[in-house]
Amino acid sequence: MDNVISVIIIDDHPLVLNGFEFILNRNANILLKKTFTRAKDAVDFLETEQIDVVLMDINMPDMNGIDATEIIRKSYPDTRIIAISNLNEGSIASRMMQAGAAGYLLKNVSAEELIDAIQAVYQGEQVLSKEMSDVLSDKQDTVPKITEREREVLALMAKGYTTPKIGELMFISPLTVESHRRNLLQKFRVSNSVSLIHKATEMKFI
């Protein structure tokens, strides 16, 4: 490959950053521009630097990787994102891919697999580690598909608002709120609001 691929890493674990830095700095086709421990700092950096590929952790202190991916993809659609995580859960991987990530790798990835993944997403491909590919093939239907209205109701429920108050805030009737709530319970396959909020939080919908 003739083009040099510019990369940044977002991860709040020093050992992970050091390990990935070592791998990337040994490859002549990859230029590691900077590393970040906070997602917001990386987003701010992208305002001044055009970056080809972002390696993105999921759990960070200031912003989760799903939200950060959505922000970056919306503002910088040419920047490709690979999730790098210890979480081998199909629901999380699916959410990352839905947010716009081009790949999902586990942190035990080999140096060769990491380099190949960066080059692949740079060329417009999607990549998954073998473990995640197996998990996703087993759990393709486990991630609920919810509407924007349902997402708003879910967020307000998580804040503890009552049905009448949610209706007031969203300018809809309490009956409509209840309809959205029932749909959410069905889609998340739970029987009550407490379980709904718990599961939605685990799956990074909240």
Side-chain angles (χ1 to χ4, degrees):
M1 178 179 292
D2 295 326
N3 293 335
V4 175
I5 305 170
S6 58
V7 177
I8 62 172
I9 307 172
I10 310 172
D11 197 300
D12 63 333
H13 296 91
L15 287 177
V16 174
L17 286 178
N18 292 339
F20 286 161
E21 277 188 75
F22 179 76
I23 292 170
L24 300 188
N25 285 334
R26 296 178 65 192
N27 190 286
N29 292 320
I30 293 175
L31 175 62
L32 178 60
K33 298 284 287 190
K34 202 169 178 63
T35 64
F36 299 90
T37 57
R38 291 169 53 87
K40 187 180 183 306
D41 293 339
V43 172
D44 291 342
F45 177 78
L46 289 171
E47 293 180 4
T48 61
E49 290 275 351
Q50 183 174 343
I51 297 298
D52 297 316
V53 178
V54 176
L55 301 183
M56 173 86 71
D57 190 15
I58 305 292
N59 293 322
M60 288 171 292
D62 63 328
M63 183 190 307
N64 70 60
I66 295 170
D67 290 341
T69 295
E70 288 179 338
I71 291 170
I72 291 171
R73 290 292 294 161
K74 183 177 180 179
S75 301
Y76 313 102
D78 292 333
T79 298
R80 309 286 283 174
I81 297 171
I82 301 175
I84 304 286
S85 178
N86 287 322
L87 302 171
N88 63 340
E89 299 176 19
S91 59
I92 303 299
S94 293
R95 289 279 288 141
M96 274 298 290
M97 302 303 277
Q98 288 172 1
Y104 195 106
L105 302 176
L106 297 182
K107 287 186 178 179
N108 62 1
V109 61
S110 68
E112 182 180 5
E113 188 178 4
L114 179 63
I115 297 299
D116 287 347
I118 291 172
Q119 292 175 339
V121 300
Y122 176 72
Q123 294 171 6
E125 301 174 26
Q126 286 194 336
V127 294
L128 291 170
S129 63
K130 183 182 184 307
E131 299 96 328
M132 288 315 306
S133 182
D134 292 342
V135 168
L136 287 176
S137 65
D138 291 339
K139 299 185 177 181
Q140 284 182 339
D141 299 324
T142 60
V143 180
K145 292 180 173 59
I146 66 175
T147 67
E148 191 59 39
R149 271 310 215 190
E150 288 168 348
R151 189 182 296 274
E152 291 177 35
V153 170
L154 186 60
L156 292 172
M157 288 176 64
K159 292 179 179 178
Y161 289 119
T162 63
T163 293
K165 185 62 177 178
I166 292 173
E168 180 184 332
L169 291 170
M170 294 181 63
F171 303 103
I172 57 178
S173 72
L175 286 176
T176 302
V177 175
E178 276 302 304
S179 176
H180 287 313
R181 191 182 76 87
R182 285 194 300 272
N183 288 340
L184 287 165
L185 292 175
Q186 184 177 16
K187 289 180 178 182
F188 281 87
R189 299 178 185 178
V190 292
S191 59
N192 57 67
S193 296
V194 173
S195 297
L196 170 62
I197 300 305
H198 179 71
K199 190 168 184 179
T201 301
E202 280 189 340
M203 298 176 76
K204 307 294 184 182
F205 278 87
I206 299 172

